[in-house]
Structure formats: structure tokens, C-alpha cells
Amino acid sequence: MTHSTGSVSACLPIHSDLDLVRVRQHVREMTAQLGFGLVEQTKLVTAASELARNALVHGGGGQMECTEVTSGGARGLRLVFSDEGPGIADLDQALSDGYTSGGGLGMGLGGSRRLVQEFSIDSRRGVGTTVTVTSWIPGPPRPREAP
């Protein structure tokens, strides 16, 4: 799938609980501006909240880049969370259902992955972690066929 990327609309620091609030507010505003429905807005805000908290708690802080993206006429929002923390020791475990190290919403990386259409993670011991998620605005509902 070819994605053309727009310019980064925001690069927000993640260094405090107040920054977590700002991340959630920004993602909520961007999804509303782009025309995401309320359910899709909530899914992306929830994933963003969890990923930002991970960057703060486990990565010692970091940042979120928020970018509007397009692909074949579809529009979406890409969020990139990065930190320079210790990295994730066991990525498979961290992505497994039900795994949480505590302190977040209890959904972990696996839960965040289920809330978005695209999810990728790059984590290197001693270098840091980058998680990229993208959600696309669903197309118009298909007309129902007559019985």
C-alpha cells in the first residue's frame, strides 16, 4: 500500500503527566478535524494514551509526532511515539495479550495494536523504542441491497 505523507502537524514532548493530557487532547482534536467518527476517535486516543504513557514510564520520556496521511484517496492519521529508553527486552511478551507491566490502562502494546489499522514497533536495547500507528477514516457506508 502506498502512503503519501503530509507534513508533521505536531511534535509533542512526553515528559510529564501533563504532557500525556496534551497528547490525548491533540489526537482528539486532529481526529475530529479530519472527520473520524466518535468510535474511531476514541480508539486512536486510547492507543495514543497508552503509547505515550509507555514512552514516559518505560522510556524515561520521549515525543509524539502526529501526521495526516493519505493513500489512494483515503485519509488517516499517523502517530509516531519515540523514546531513548532501555528498549523492550522481550518484544513478543510485551505484545502478547494480557501482558502489562502495570501503571497504564492495562491494555499494553497488544491492546494498542488492536485499536489501530497499522502498527509497527522498533525497539533496540540501550537505544530506545519507536512505535508507529496509523488509523484510517472509514469510507462512506455501502448502500444496503434491497431484499
Side-chain angles (χ1 to χ4, degrees), residues 75 97 115 132:
R75 293 187 321 150
D97 284 348
L115 291 172
T132 303

Side-chain angles (χ1 to χ4, degrees), residues 8 15 134 141:
V8 174
H15 296 293
T134 306

Side-chain angles (χ1 to χ4, degrees), residues 50-120:
E50 184 75 7
L51 296 170
R53 180 164 293 285
N54 283 351
L56 177 63
V57 172
H58 304 294
Q63 67 179 18
M64 178 196 75
E65 287 183 9
C66 180
T67 307
E68 181 181 346
V69 291
T70 58
S71 175
R75 293 187 321 150
L77 196 62
R78 175 166 298 138
L79 307 176
V80 179
F81 296 86
S82 56
D83 66 61
E84 295 178 0
I88 299 171
D90 186 340
L91 202 50
D92 288 337
Q93 180 187 34
L95 286 166
S96 67
D97 284 348
Y99 177 78
T100 179
S101 55
L105 299 172
M107 68 182 325
L109 290 172
S112 296
R113 179 171 56 180
R114 284 190 300 278
L115 291 172
V116 298
Q117 282 93 24
E118 297 175 19
F119 180 99
S120 67

Side-chain angles (χ1 to χ4, degrees), residues 44 98 106 126:
L44 192 53

Side-chain angles (χ1 to χ4, degrees), residues 3-78:
H3 303 301
S4 88
T5 303
S7 60
V8 174
S9 66
C11 185
L12 301 176
I14 303 170
H15 296 293
S16 68
D17 285 342
L18 185 57
D19 290 338
L20 298 179
V21 172
R22 289 187 184 116
V23 163
R24 285 192 299 267
Q25 287 174 336
H26 184 78
V27 173
R28 174 77 66 195
E29 290 168 7
M30 287 299 299
T31 55
Q33 283 178 19
L34 290 172
F36 279 81
L38 187 57
V39 170
E40 293 303 316
Q41 287 180 37
T42 302
K43 285 180 177 180
L44 192 53
V45 169
T46 301
S49 181
E50 184 75 7
L51 296 170
R53 180 164 293 285
N54 283 351
L56 177 63
V57 172
H58 304 294
Q63 67 179 18
M64 178 196 75
E65 287 183 9
C66 180
T67 307
E68 181 181 346
V69 291
T70 58
S71 175
R75 293 187 321 150
L77 196 62
R78 175 166 298 138

